[in-house]
């Protein structure tokens, strides 16, 4: 997503866009093509890649990631760990490794689900829908592009503090959106003001030395 980080399902809800984006990471050319075709027939937007480098580049653009374990330039489990340091997009491992230890390793790396090859497409679609339902809802309000990206990032990493440096890196992109430290403070303040006028229960919490987090808890 270049450093154009995506807003996952949250951005699409804000803009009224119905289509979810799936990042498919599969090095088997035939399988990659067949799965992509099937997903598109179900109405999904598909980004199909076959390396860890391409996957890491496009990961922030996806609402959900379908990730093979064995890739030509690396390991899907290690890739998942790197992705988890930046975003909390659902990850479903697609692999022929059905050993219990491999499954546990994949889930412990940050994976949300695990499906072994060969698999039925209907099962895959069902797993995708189930994981997409876990993406949090966002309050309806008028937001700028920066506010949309900021809110989506906080919500996708809910209950987890994000440093100012992490947020600034996420907000920077190749389309000319520039956010410095002062601008971030202004956007946080405006976003809090807009959130206070909604009926949603979520809010942005600040902790000195740690950063910001999205929470739906009321006793903090």
């Amino acid at each position: 997503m270049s450093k154009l980080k995506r807003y996952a399902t949250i951005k699409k809800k804000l803009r009224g866009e119905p289509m979810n984006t799936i990042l498919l990471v599969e090095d088997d050319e035939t399988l990659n093509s067949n799965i992509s075709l099937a997903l598109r027939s179900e109405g999904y937007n598909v980004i199909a890649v076959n390396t860890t480098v391409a996957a890491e580049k496009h990961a922030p653009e996806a609402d959900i990631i379908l990730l093979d374990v064995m890739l030509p330039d690396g390991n899907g489990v290690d890739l998942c760990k790197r992705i988890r340091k930046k975003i909390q997009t659902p990850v479903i491992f697609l692999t022929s490794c059905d050993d219990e230890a491999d499954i546990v390793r994949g889930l412990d790396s940050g994976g949300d689900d695990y499906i072994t090859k060969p698999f039925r497409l209907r099962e895959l679609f069902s797993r995708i829908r189930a994981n997409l339902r876990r993406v949090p809802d966002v309050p309806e309000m008028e937001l700028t592009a920066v506010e949309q990206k900021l809110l989506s990032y906080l919500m996708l990493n809910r209950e987890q503090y994000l440093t100012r440096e992490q947020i600034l890196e996420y907000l920077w992109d190749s389309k000319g959106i520039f956010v410095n430290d002062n601008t971030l403070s202004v956007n946080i303040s405006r976003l809090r003001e807009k959130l206070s006028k909604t009926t949603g229960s979520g809010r942005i919490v600040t902790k000195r030395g740690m950063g910001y987090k999205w929470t739906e808890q009321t006793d903090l």
Side-chain angles (χ1 to χ4, degrees):
M1 247 221 311
S2 55
K3 280 193 174 179
L4 177 57
K5 314 287 187 183
R6 274 181 67 268
Y7 325 106
T9 301
I10 292 174
K11 172 190 173 185
K12 294 175 186 284
K13 287 183 179 180
L14 285 167
R15 295 177 56 184
E17 299 176 13
M19 187 183 300
N20 292 109
T21 296
I22 296 177
L23 173 61
L24 173 61
V25 190
E26 170 60 61
D27 66 330
D28 183 303
E29 186 175 340
T30 300
L31 191 57
N32 189 310
S33 177
N34 290 341
I35 295 176
S36 296
L37 182 62
L39 291 171
R40 291 187 178 106
S41 71
E42 289 293 304
Y44 295 108
N45 178 44
V46 179
I47 302 172
V49 300
N50 57 15
T51 65
T52 62
V53 172
E56 197 161 3
K57 174 183 177 181
H58 291 285
E61 301 173 44
D63 296 304
I64 192 166
I65 301 170
L66 305 181
L67 180 58
D68 191 11
V69 172
M70 301 305 295
L71 295 164
D73 62 339
N75 185 287
V77 173
D78 293 334
L79 172 61
C80 186
K81 291 178 181 178
R82 295 198 299 273
I83 289 174
R84 276 290 170 264
K85 292 179 180 179
K86 301 177 181 179
I87 57 176
Q88 296 300 313
T89 302
V91 174
I92 301 177
F93 281 105
L94 306 179
T95 178
S96 56
C97 302
D98 59 357
D99 182 78
E100 181 180 0
D102 290 326
I103 295 174
V104 171
R105 194 162 64 98
L107 296 176
D108 285 348
S109 72
D112 297 274
D113 207 346
Y114 202 105
I115 183 169
T116 56
K117 306 171 188 174
F119 51 81
R120 299 182 182 88
L121 285 174
R122 286 187 179 181
E123 179 184 1
L124 176 60
F125 297 155
S126 179
R127 299 280 188 99
I128 290 171
R129 289 192 296 268
N131 279 276
L132 285 173
R133 284 196 293 270
R134 299 173 188 171
V135 178
D137 289 329
V138 63
E140 292 186 6
M141 56 187 141
E142 291 293 326
L143 300 177
T144 66
V146 172
E147 290 167 349
Q148 287 181 4
K149 294 186 74 172
L150 175 58
L151 180 58
S152 71
Y153 190 39
L154 290 168
M155 292 183 75
L156 285 171
N157 294 277
R158 58 193 181 282
E159 304 303 338
Q160 173 183 332
Y161 280 104
L162 300 170
T163 66
R164 294 179 71 88
E165 291 75 18
Q166 286 177 304
I167 296 172
L168 287 170
E169 180 183 1
Y170 183 88
L171 293 177
W172 174 270
D173 67 35
S174 61
K175 289 190 175 181
I177 294 180
F178 175 74
V179 180
N180 60 26
D181 199 64
N182 290 332
T183 308
L184 176 58
S185 297
V186 172
N187 277 277
I188 289 282
S189 177
R190 288 177 177 172
L191 190 52
R192 278 182 167 142
E193 181 180 357
K194 292 179 180 181
L195 286 166
S196 69
K197 298 176 182 179
T198 70
T199 57
S201 59
R203 63 195 178 99
I204 300 171
V205 175
T206 305
K207 189 169 184 178
R208 184 178 295 274
M210 295 187 69
Y212 305 92
K213 76 172 181 179
W214 176 264
T215 184
E216 294 184 358
Q217 300 180 35
T218 58
D219 57 348
L220 296 177

